[in-house]
Amino acid sequence: MRLGNEIPKNRLDSSLLGIYPFRTNLTEPMEFGKIKTDHSIEGKIDRAMDAFAYSFGKKMPARRISVTMNSASRGIKLALIDISGTLHVGSQAIQGGPSALKKLRNAGVAVKFVTNTSKESSADLHSQLMELGYDVVREDIHSSLGAASLLVRKMNLHPLLLLSESARMDFERDYDYSCADSVVVGLGPERLTYEWLNRAFRILDTGGQLIAAHDGRYFKQEDGLSLGPGAFVHGLEYCTGKKALVAGKPSREFFLTAFSSELAAADEVVMIGDDATSDCSGALNAGIGNAVLVQTGKYRSGDEEKATPPPTATVPDFAAAVEWIINNS
């Protein structure tokens, strides 16, 4: 797989590099699955990324650098749907959400759920969605926690998990922290304390690897916006000089391992979410054909104007997004 157009040097930041922070020449061929013999930390990370991309047993959809802004691509066959803020806020389903999901499936559009939720395990998240009235198959949930857990296994790490008790269920075990060689950060309030963060700092300061389930700035709860794990991820980066591997959105690999090319081509896919940057720009930068921003959850007025590239469409809520998809399928 080759990356086509050269990306301007001033755009070589972590949001574009995704979970390839050491790859600075984006015009070089990027061949997934090729065995490398480089034993440096960069080589170790590249090998883990190769395994990450292919561990799902799927062909990677072709990357499409140029996307048409604010106009739909060819017929939509698959919807990638964000969860928190898009399907529900806290314990409340978005109005009309469950029926809209059913309508989308009845229109012949396949669905997958892609979420940066890092406080609940996939099992707990699935149960929550079912209780809210959404008909969801657990295997269709593609989470940043699952992606982070896969990275840990592929890199053979023994991390300190700054995660909630529920989130730690998505990992093989709660590791022996006395010999931790890495740190995984998600939304785990009980472990985002000075004591735990200082322990993480010492692991990273002596050569450990930093992995972020995601680095979101904030998310929406029923009583308002709340601080996301990004503050803690970037705080550890600042204090240690480390660069985190971001497993979830807006990582290109996260989007493209959510579905197989047999299910849909990248330009036949639409992303629906409440985050103009991580959901919409992230998907479009990954080559996904369309991105619809919903004005629920963390959305704030004008978000779509700040996103690069901007969403294909901005609509009031998930039900309106479904109508847009059906009209463009």
Side-chain angles (χ1 to χ4, degrees):
M1 181 179 297
R2 296 176 181 271
L3 294 179
N5 303 332
E6 183 176 1
I7 296 176
K9 292 182 180 179
N10 65 356
R11 294 285 301 283
L12 294 180
D13 56 27
S14 59
S15 65
L16 284 176
L17 295 175
I19 50 180
Y20 280 87
F22 295 99
R23 190 184 300 277
T24 56
N25 184 359
L26 297 188
T27 63
E28 290 181 353
M30 186 181 294
E31 299 178 0
F32 293 99
K34 180 179 178 181
I35 303 299
K36 302 177 176 64
T37 56
D38 181 2
H39 296 290
S40 66
I41 184 63
E42 292 90 341
K44 185 178 181 182
I45 291 171
D46 274 349
R47 291 194 297 278
M49 295 303 99
D50 292 348
F52 173 69
Y54 273 87
S55 61
F56 294 86
K58 304 169 182 176
K59 295 179 181 179
M60 295 283 284
R63 175 176 171 82
R64 189 164 63 94
I65 299 296
S66 298
V67 295
T68 302
M69 306 305 171
N70 298 312
S71 63
S73 300
R74 61 194 176 112
I76 296 169
K77 294 183 178 179
L78 171 68
L80 302 179
I81 305 171
D82 175 52
I83 295 179
S84 178
T86 300
L87 297 182
H88 74 95
V89 172
S91 61
Q92 300 295 317
I94 295 296
Q95 185 174 3
S99 58
L101 179 60
K102 183 177 181 179
K103 183 175 183 178
L104 184 61
R105 285 197 177 108
N106 288 341
V109 179
V111 298
K112 296 285 184 179
F113 303 91
V114 290
T115 178
N116 270 354
T117 297
S118 60
K119 189 176 180 181
E120 294 87 19
S121 67
S122 295
D124 287 347
L125 184 57
H126 175 254
S127 297
Q128 180 184 10
L129 289 172
M130 294 293 286
E131 290 173 2
L132 291 174
Y134 290 102
D135 183 11
V136 175
V137 177
R138 180 177 170 182
E139 288 71 25
D140 286 340
I141 297 176
H142 186 57
S143 74
S144 62
L145 281 176
S149 178
L150 184 59
L151 277 179
V152 166
R153 296 196 301 273
K154 296 301 181 181
M155 296 179 72
N156 195 28
L157 298 173
H158 295 79
L160 172 71
L161 299 176
L162 299 185
L163 301 170
S164 68
E165 182 178 359
S166 172
R168 296 197 297 273
M169 292 170 58
D170 276 357
F171 288 74
E172 290 181 328
R173 61 188 182 278
D174 206 356
Y175 297 84
D176 179 4
Y177 299 146
S178 65
C179 58
D181 58 5
S182 52
V183 176
V184 175
V185 183
L187 188 62
E190 64 268 31
R191 288 197 173 182
L192 294 176
T193 64
Y194 180 83
E195 179 184 356
W196 283 97
L197 287 167
N198 194 47
R199 189 181 300 184
F201 165 77
R202 291 177 177 178
I203 293 169
L204 299 174
D205 194 49
T206 53
Q209 175 64 57
L210 177 59
I211 295 176
H214 68 98
D215 62 351
R217 295 180 296 166
Y218 50 83
F219 65 103
K220 182 67 177 293
Q221 293 183 300
E222 290 175 77
D223 60 350
L225 293 177
S226 295
L227 190 66
F232 305 96
V233 172
H234 293 297
L236 288 170
E237 286 182 326
Y238 172 76
C239 293
T240 64
K242 296 284 185 179
K243 187 65 179 176
L245 300 179
V246 180
K249 296 177 287 188
S251 160
R252 173 176 175 269
E253 283 67 34
F254 180 78
F255 283 107
L256 296 185
T257 52
F259 65 99
S260 67
S261 57
E262 286 80 8
L263 187 59
D267 62 352
E268 296 172 322
V269 178
V270 60
M271 175 68 208
I272 309 170
D274 66 327
D275 190 316
T277 301
S278 290
D279 290 331
C280 297
S281 296
L284 294 172
N285 282 325
I288 301 301
N290 306 278
V292 178
L293 178 65
V294 294
Q295 296 172 317
T296 55
K298 69 170 63 175
Y299 172 84
R300 293 195 284 190
S301 180
D303 280 354
E304 62 271 37
E305 299 170 6
K306 303 171 186 175
T308 305
T312 313
T314 301
V315 298
D317 55 22
F318 179 65
V322 168
E323 293 297 329
W324 185 92
I325 292 169
I326 292 173
N327 290 336
N328 286 277
S329 296

